[in-house]
Amino acid sequence: MDTLNHDTPHNDPIFDAAWRALGGESPGSPGGVFDFHQDSILRWHKPYPIIGRKKDVRKYHEPGPYGQSSSNFHPHADLVRLPKARYRGALMGIHSRRKDSQRAFWEYQKQIDYFRTFFENPHYQWIKRHPEWREAWDGGRIGLAPGVEGAHMLNAPDAARCKDNIAQMAMDGVAYVTLCHTFNTKVASTNHTIWYNRLKFARPTKDHRLSQAGERTVGLLMDYSIAVDVAHVHHKSLEHACDLAAERGVPVLCSHTGMRFEAVAAKVARGSSAKRNLSRDMVVDIVRTGGLIGVFFTPMYLRWDRKQPGSKTSQRVADHIHALVKHIEQACETSGVPHVAIGTDYDGYIDLPDDQRECLDLIKVVYYLMEVYDYSEADIRAMFLTNGHDYLGRVWDTRDISLRP
């Protein structure tokens, strides 16, 4: 049991149950991890090395020490560690410049070229159709598919090119497209309160709903069986996107988020951090489409008790891991376990809770969920694996690459 990090004696029955839920000794067991948002490609991409250390996700990288302040500067995951962390599948985030343009799509293509090299490793399989997830798992391989974080890479203002770009993304097996990232796009408004986003000319519409190009783009994404991701999206744009999806019976995705109502009630952090998360009404909008919510592992958006002068590190650790699982609990309480998954945001220039430093620490989250909130092994398998698989089945059920509209 040396492939997962935990300081609990192995004769602890809760630890044994958590271990089984994540796959136990056998990679072929029914448990495992399906991560809906992992940003490991982000550190390779050229515009970002100034912010964080450049790395090659194909190679092993030593994790940093425990402690939130340093975890951002060390890789959280790579292709060497994912099998040890009992991963069965992951959606790898692709990013680009914030401006809506064809150049942004070209940058997407460069990252796809890099993504393609992952599969020189025989333990991984590029997933483009839903049945391939099961094929990969049955063959003892980890399935990977790209996710696009930002509709600016679609060049939405140019209708013809936007359609061609979405068609190419479908051919590449893109699992989802996020309508915007930390800046507004010509498609949707973001929920980040950066000063630029408050300027009128930077908004896609005056009331923050989807633009006409946004409505067309959401329709095309559904036509091509690519999930509409509303992470980072302003509540009015989110509601508009959910209305369009509900009309067509297509479930919406929020790939990585926290719960805003827990954050605000407990004074988690500044208002900008709380607005990054989902309110109760936003959760209801997603659930009414039959959608899925992935909870991320970012303390700056989850914690409610900042470190006070003179406090001990052990107290901070408890607060942070409690905050993380509390947001998972809040998501389950509001939407139900079948609508909850994980979207860790590993390597997305985020800090991790103090008692985590890499993907091998996932068992600590599972242990705490089972110890404090009494979740069963079946619940853990649902949130950490099968909910994600089933959701993509509902979105990709019409994904026939040879029959594109």
Side-chain angles (χ1 to χ4, degrees):
M1 293 188 183
D2 59 350
T3 57
L4 291 172
N5 302 329
H6 203 268
D7 55 6
T8 302
H10 293 166
N11 58 359
D12 184 334
I14 299 177
F15 175 86
D16 293 339
W19 177 250
R20 289 192 301 269
L22 287 184
E25 295 288 357
S26 172
S29 68
V33 178
F34 194 117
D35 192 342
F36 256 75
H37 188 77
Q38 189 175 128
D39 267 338
S40 295
I41 295 180
L42 182 65
R43 290 187 181 271
W44 172 84
H45 189 38
K46 291 181 180 179
Y48 293 95
I50 294 175
I51 304 175
R53 193 170 66 177
K54 194 173 180 180
K55 76 160 191 174
D56 185 347
V57 70
R58 299 168 295 184
K59 301 177 181 178
Y60 174 76
H61 295 266
E62 188 70 27
Y66 287 102
Q68 180 205 335
S69 60
S70 63
S71 60
N72 184 30
F73 300 101
H74 298 271
H76 305 146
D78 49 51
L79 299 192
V80 179
R81 282 180 282 176
L82 293 187
K84 298 178 181 180
R86 293 298 183 262
Y87 267 66
R88 305 289 293 279
L91 307 183
M92 312 293 279
I94 289 179
H95 300 71
S96 180
R97 305 177 192 276
R98 67 173 184 264
K99 185 177 180 181
D100 296 76
S101 66
Q102 195 63 19
R103 182 177 178 181
F105 177 74
W106 295 338
E107 291 186 4
Y108 154 82
Q109 291 179 308
K110 291 178 182 178
Q111 292 181 78
I112 282 292
D113 289 340
Y114 176 62
F115 180 72
R116 185 175 287 108
T117 66
F118 291 6
F119 306 100
E120 297 170 2
N121 184 330
H123 297 295
Y124 289 86
Q125 181 173 332
W126 190 343
I127 307 299
K128 297 184 178 181
R129 297 180 302 111
H130 189 254
E132 293 174 1
W133 290 109
R134 185 60 62 181
E135 293 172 12
W137 298 349
D138 290 345
R141 296 180 297 276
I142 297 175
L144 300 178
V148 173
E149 193 167 13
H152 54 287
M153 281 177 269
L154 303 178
N155 194 9
D158 187 329
R161 284 196 169 183
C162 178
K163 183 175 181 179
D164 290 343
N165 294 342
I166 291 176
Q168 182 58 54
M169 288 182 179
M171 296 290 287
D172 293 334
V174 167
Y176 63 81
V177 171
T178 312
L179 299 184
C180 59
H181 194 200
T182 55
F183 287 84
N184 296 332
T185 64
K186 299 296 184 181
V187 169
S189 291
T190 182
N191 55 15
H192 289 265
T193 56
I194 300 171
W195 66 269
Y196 175 85
N197 295 322
R198 297 196 294 269
L199 301 177
K200 290 184 179 180
F201 72 83
R203 300 177 185 175
T205 61
K206 292 182 179 179
D207 60 358
H208 293 292
R209 289 172 64 81
L210 298 180
S211 63
Q212 289 185 344
E215 291 182 347
R216 182 181 67 246
T217 299
V218 168
L220 285 170
L221 291 173
M222 292 188 286
D223 289 341
Y224 282 81
S225 301
I226 297 175
V228 177
D229 182 21
V230 293
H232 296 282
V233 175
H234 190 281
H235 67 93
K236 291 186 179 179
S237 290
L238 182 148
E239 181 183 13
H240 193 174
C242 289
D243 288 341
L244 296 175
E247 290 175 3
R248 295 183 52 171
V250 176
V252 164
L253 170 68
C254 188
S255 60
H256 57 300
T257 187
M259 300 295 110
R260 186 190 300 179
F261 47 88
E262 173 63 31
V264 173
K267 298 181 181 179
V268 169
R270 299 186 302 275
S272 60
S273 297
K275 289 181 180 179
R276 166 64 181 87
N277 297 338
L278 295 180
S279 67
R280 288 184 182 274
D281 290 340
M282 295 164 78
V283 172
V284 170
D285 281 332
I286 294 169
V287 170
R288 68 183 169 88
T289 72
L292 188 72
I293 298 167
V295 179
F296 58 13
F297 289 14
T298 314
M300 68 178 291
Y301 298 124
L302 302 180
R303 65 175 179 260
W304 62 77
D305 191 4
R306 294 182 182 276
K307 185 179 180 182
Q308 300 297 323
S311 65
K312 297 180 180 180
T313 302
S314 59
Q315 293 173 337
R316 269 178 78 199
V317 169
D319 287 339
H320 284 160
I321 194 169
H322 180 64
L324 169 56
V325 298
K326 181 63 175 177
H327 280 255
I328 296 175
E329 163 66 11
Q330 289 285 342
C332 292
E333 181 181 327
T334 306
S335 63
V337 170
H339 296 280
V340 178
I342 62 165
T344 61
D345 209 11
Y346 282 148
D347 291 326
Y349 295 108
I350 66 167
D351 294 319
L352 294 178
D354 277 355
D355 62 340
Q356 298 185 47
R357 62 174 185 168
E358 59 176 337
C359 57
L360 298 181
D361 292 311
L362 270 171
I363 193 170
K364 298 177 182 179
V365 180
V366 175
Y367 183 91
Y368 205 89
L369 283 167
M370 300 182 82
E371 180 186 45
V372 177
Y373 293 104
D374 201 29
Y375 282 100
S376 66
E377 289 184 45
D379 291 334
I380 297 299
R381 288 197 184 100
M383 290 186 286
F384 280 71
L385 180 65
T386 59
N387 287 350
H389 175 266
D390 295 346
Y391 170 81
L392 289 179
R394 287 181 284 136
V395 176
W396 287 11
D397 60 352
T398 58
R399 177 166 281 197
D400 184 345
I401 295 175
S402 64
L403 298 175
R404 284 288 155 218

